[in-house]
Amino acid sequence: MSPASEEERVALVTGAARGIGAATVRALCGRGYRVVAVDCCAGDVPGDLPGVAYPLAGKDELDALRDEHPDQVVAVVADVRDRTALDRAAATAVERFGRIDAAVAAAAVISGGRPLWETPESHVRALWDVDVMGVWNTAAVTVPRMLAGPDPGGCRFVAVASAAGTRGLYHLSGYGMAKHAVIGLVRGLAADLAGTGATAVAVSPGSTRTSMLSATAALYGLDGAESFAASQLTGRLIEPAEIAEVIAFCCSRAGGVATGTVIGAEGGFRG
């Protein structure tokens, strides 16, 4: 069977309503992909995520993204902690577009601001449930459909990790634990996919201009996200669209060469 062209490829992206997830949807649409854009759309500070003290994206943001690309994007409200809801989103991709060629697990939250021994267990569990199990659930519902599809050898799973996934950051032990786990998950998945042609990779952003970075600044008592520009060798924050370009490459057939690795997109992050 001949490989799919970019115009035929289909992706599922979580955390799609804003930030890196939304930028990834736009980057893939620009390459001709059709995309199922998934977000929990929880909006105001979520009461069921202890320690997460900032608003998440709202449904209006997800709908606006869909409206930018009405012929390419299907918007689905689903929480990555809910495997059944994610499974329905993956089924929607196959029902609407006939296949899944790439999955991007970009949904995540952040909390912290205390040393490990003062961090409530509930905060750690919230990070684990979204940032790790959310990636696990995304892989679990998309990879079987990729392998059963018309071009399994061209299929790609991409998880958004973090600079915190390869180093320890002050008062972010729970978040760092979660992102280290994401990298381990991806490496294990890549090993499981050996011989199928499908691949898995983690992309590790540095300080990127997102709501999550603004929330991190608040945890540190800083004036705003721009305060982190000094931590980058580039001397500036990374834009979500820049990370999205890296992710889009990893989603491509050519991106399979990176399987099992962590692609640093850190802007020279100094920690």
Side-chain angles (χ1 to χ4, degrees), residues 158-163 186 201-205 243 246-247 250 261-265:
V158 184
V160 178
S162 168
V186 164
V201 64
V203 173
S204 181
I243 302 300
V246 178
I247 294 171
C250 293
T261 69
V262 181
I263 295 184

Side-chain angles (χ1 to χ4, degrees), residues 33-158:
Y33 283 67
R34 291 158 294 172
V35 181
V36 172
V38 179
D39 200 283
C40 70
C41 298
D44 293 340
V45 177
D48 64 340
L49 288 173
V52 179
Y54 60 98
L56 302 183
K59 189 172 184 298
D60 57 332
E61 293 171 276
L62 186 63
D63 289 344
L65 181 66
R66 177 203 60 205
D67 293 345
E68 289 179 29
H69 309 278
D71 298 323
Q72 291 177 267
V73 174
V74 173
V76 174
V77 176
D79 192 317
V80 294
R81 294 173 294 172
D82 184 344
R83 183 160 163 174
T84 299
L86 270 186
D87 189 66
R88 288 196 295 266
T92 295
V94 175
E95 290 163 5
R96 290 289 298 271
F97 303 127
R99 58 198 295 154
I100 301 175
D101 299 284
V104 180
V109 294
I110 194 166
S111 67
R114 308 180 193 183
L116 180 150
W117 58 92
E118 294 179 4
T119 301
E121 181 179 336
S122 61
H123 294 193
V124 179
R125 290 192 179 278
L127 288 166
W128 186 264
D129 288 346
V130 177
D131 295 9
V132 184
M133 290 309 300
V135 178
W136 183 287
N137 290 338
T138 304
V141 303
T142 59
V143 169
R145 289 177 167 92
M146 292 182 193
L147 297 179
D151 185 21
C155 290
R156 310 286 176 249
F157 184 86
V158 184

Side-chain angles (χ1 to χ4, degrees), residues 169-258:
L169 299 181
Y170 179 69
H171 282 185
L172 288 177
S173 56
Y175 181 73
M177 176 192 73
K179 290 301 185 177
H180 274 72
V182 167
I183 289 172
L185 184 162
V186 164
R187 287 176 170 154
L189 176 59
D192 288 344
L193 290 171
T196 68
T199 60
V201 64
V203 173
S204 181
S207 297
T208 306
R209 193 187 307 278
T210 62
S211 298
M212 185 181 288
L213 190 66
S214 296
T216 307
L219 292 175
Y220 286 145
L222 300 174
D223 290 337
E226 284 296 337
S227 301
F228 290 109
S231 70
Q232 307 288 128
L233 292 180
T234 56
R236 63 174 180 82
L237 297 184
I238 302 167
E239 298 299 331
E242 295 178 285
I243 302 300
E245 288 297 313
V246 178
I247 294 171
F249 167 75
C250 293
C251 288
S252 71
R253 291 186 64 86
V257 70

